[in-house]
Amino acid sequence: MLTDLFTAISIGFFLSFVLGPVFFVLIETSITKGFRAAISLDLGVVLADVFLLYFVTTPVSNWLIILIINQVFLFLEDLSYLFMELIYLFKEKKKTKK
């Protein structure tokens, strides 16, 4: 049992440093959109990981509730993206009038 624990810790430690697609998206976002957007993306990834851990540990009977909550979060994410695009377009339109 102790060897399994050490194996799991070493695999988890190794996987924590693996560069995945989120890492590259985070770098691109910080370069193109700035620090605040990168922090928002990072907090979203952490929140998604927390929800994933919670959902994996819940019984199957609660999955319908989980799916509904997931759809609500996806809708709110799309809505916030839409508002951010509208704000960006409004600022660009204002710049062109000057």
Side-chain angles (χ1 to χ4, degrees):
M1 181 172 157
L2 197 55
T3 58
D4 292 338
L5 180 65
F6 287 130
T7 304
I9 289 173
S10 62
I11 290 173
F13 184 75
F14 173 72
L15 289 176
S16 68
F17 292 106
V18 174
L19 299 178
V22 174
F23 176 73
F24 294 108
V25 170
L26 182 63
I27 289 176
E28 178 192 5
T29 302
S30 65
I31 291 171
T32 58
K33 296 186 180 179
F35 178 75
R36 290 179 64 188
I39 289 294
S40 297
L41 175 71
D42 193 32
L43 289 176
V45 169
V46 169
L47 187 64
D49 288 344
V50 168
F51 279 127
L52 177 67
L53 286 174
Y54 174 73
F55 294 155
V56 167
T57 59
T58 57
V60 177
S61 62
N62 293 336
W63 281 33
L64 180 62
I65 296 170
I66 292 168
L67 288 174
I68 291 171
I69 292 171
N70 183 24
Q71 292 302 315
V72 168
F73 277 115
L74 286 174
F75 175 73
L76 291 175
E77 179 187 11
D78 291 340
L79 195 62
S80 67
Y81 179 75
L82 176 68
F83 283 132
M84 292 299 288
E85 287 294 318
L86 288 175
I87 290 171
Y88 176 76
L89 290 174
F90 181 73
K91 285 181 180 179
E92 286 295 317
K93 190 176 182 181
K94 229 176 172 183
K95 284 182 185 177
T96 57
K97 284 186 179 180
K98 288 182 180 183

